[in-house]
Amino acid sequence: MSRIAYFGPQGTFTEQAARRLAADDELFPVETISAALTAVRKGEAAGACVPVENSVEGAVTATLDGLAEDAPLVAVAEELLAVHFSVLTRDDVETVGTVASHPHALAQVSQWLAANLPQARTVVASSTAAAAVAVQRGEYDAAVAAPVAVEHYPLRVLATGVADVPDARTRFLLLRPPGTLAEPTGCDRTSIVAAAANRTGALAELLTELAFRGINLTRLDARPIKGNFGLYRFFIDFEGHIFEPRIGDALAALRRRCNNVRFLGSHPRADGVAATVEQGAANQDFVNAADWVAAVRRGELA
């Protein structure tokens, strides 16, 4: 049984995601995303489960920065969780005067709180689970937490399924050290980070290499490079798998355009969506084109 670190503490959405991604492994929480990645890099864990993006709040910058620096890690699987919260209180609480949670959680239930607990004052906590612990200790009246929190903390469920945006979701990654990759499924996602040159059209050139090959982007984020004001890294997710000829051809082109490219993984998409393939951009089209060039080089013109 492998040990998998996850961004804790216990009772968070990350724990829920880790249970799905590594159901047969031993899970243990760590305090930060950086600590989870470090545990893998030091060999203290076989993998790490961390959030990478939320459909309401956007990219999780700690995960992006952690993947761009230090020893490489690759994503081998992902999980999409619906972000529906539970509001937890102690049994002796009759009137909710304070509600604690992580800032992202409070932002995603602000309308519900205004409609259902208008008298309550919101208080920021370091995590949704930390808010539940504070309620248990009597510091606050209620916590906005992941549903799994009630398995760890003896609190009363005042409300559940709470979300201002019903289809809000968070995507989590299972990260491991580089190694043998799984075969393509036809419903895959590839991720890279590239530090493009600081000149006109540099990003457009990178994206054009993907567009020329009919490769559909699923995410694009920019993050500043520490210690280099005005320079940015670009985190790019797109449909397909590195073992596919069209994706391999695109990655080779990106590497020619930009020497500082890091491969972050190719793995099945959690939503099971198949790649969009335009006419002339199928893998077999790339194989046939390469075979034709090889035949021409051999003098077999046709």
Side-chain angles (χ1 to χ4, degrees):
M1 178 184 295
S2 300
R3 299 184 75 233
I4 304 296
Y6 68 88
F7 172 41
Q10 290 181 315
T12 61
F13 283 104
T14 311
E15 182 189 359
Q16 289 187 212
R19 289 183 178 187
R20 297 186 185 183
L21 289 168
D24 298 328
D25 295 313
E26 176 189 350
L27 306 179
F28 67 98
V30 294
E31 292 185 358
T32 65
I33 289 173
S34 177
L37 304 185
T38 298
V40 183
R41 288 172 171 139
K42 288 185 175 181
E44 299 168 353
C49 180
V50 295
V52 67
E53 65 173 324
N54 176 267
S55 61
V56 176
E57 296 297 314
V60 180
T61 56
T63 297
L64 299 187
D65 291 343
L67 289 175
E69 301 167 356
D70 299 322
L73 297 174
V74 295
V76 297
E78 68 177 30
E79 182 65 39
L80 279 174
L81 285 186
V83 184
H84 295 166
F85 297 91
S86 292
V87 179
L88 309 177
T89 67
R90 297 185 309 281
D91 288 333
D92 61 347
V93 172
E94 297 181 359
T95 301
V96 176
T98 52
V99 179
S101 195
H102 187 275
H104 284 187
L106 292 173
Q108 294 180 67
V109 299
S110 60
Q111 295 176 26
W112 187 93
L113 291 175
N116 295 274
L117 299 173
Q119 77 286 353
R121 175 174 59 90
T122 58
V123 182
V124 171
S126 59
S127 71
T128 56
V133 171
V135 171
Q136 186 179 349
R137 292 174 178 170
E139 298 173 19
Y140 309 114
D141 298 325
V144 176
V148 72
V150 296
E151 297 182 21
H152 301 290
Y153 313 109
L155 297 171
R156 176 169 59 97
V157 179
L158 180 66
T160 195
V162 176
D164 292 346
V165 181
D167 63 347
R169 295 184 293 176
T170 296
R171 183 162 68 99
F172 297 85
L173 299 178
L174 179 61
L175 301 165
R176 295 187 185 273
T180 303
L181 299 175
E183 293 294 321
T185 66
C187 305
D188 303 296
R189 189 193 316 271
T190 291
S191 303
I192 65 167
V193 55
N198 186 17
R199 58 181 174 79
T200 303
L203 175 59
E205 290 175 358
L206 297 183
L207 299 182
T208 297
E209 295 291 358
L210 299 175
F212 277 163
R213 293 162 178 82
I215 298 171
N216 185 42
L217 265 66
T218 59
R219 184 173 64 91
L220 172 63
D221 289 295
R223 292 288 297 154
I225 299 176
K226 296 177 182 178
N228 291 275
F229 183 77
L231 297 181
Y232 291 83
R233 293 188 182 98
F234 298 98
F235 293 83
I236 307 173
D237 288 358
F238 47 87
E239 295 176 347
H241 193 287
I242 192 171
F243 285 171
E244 297 179 54
R246 67 194 188 103
I247 302 301
D249 191 66
L251 290 176
L254 293 175
R255 187 65 171 79
R256 290 195 303 270
R257 293 277 190 183
C258 177
N259 287 334
N260 193 353
V261 177
R262 174 175 284 194
F263 174 72
L264 299 180
S266 287
H267 55 80
R269 292 179 58 161
D271 55 15
V273 175
T276 302
V277 182
E278 299 179 0
Q279 185 176 359
N283 287 309
Q284 192 58 48
D285 294 323
F286 282 85
V287 172
N288 293 342
D291 289 345
W292 177 82
V293 171
V296 172
R297 288 171 174 170
R298 293 192 302 267
E300 301 172 3
L301 299 178

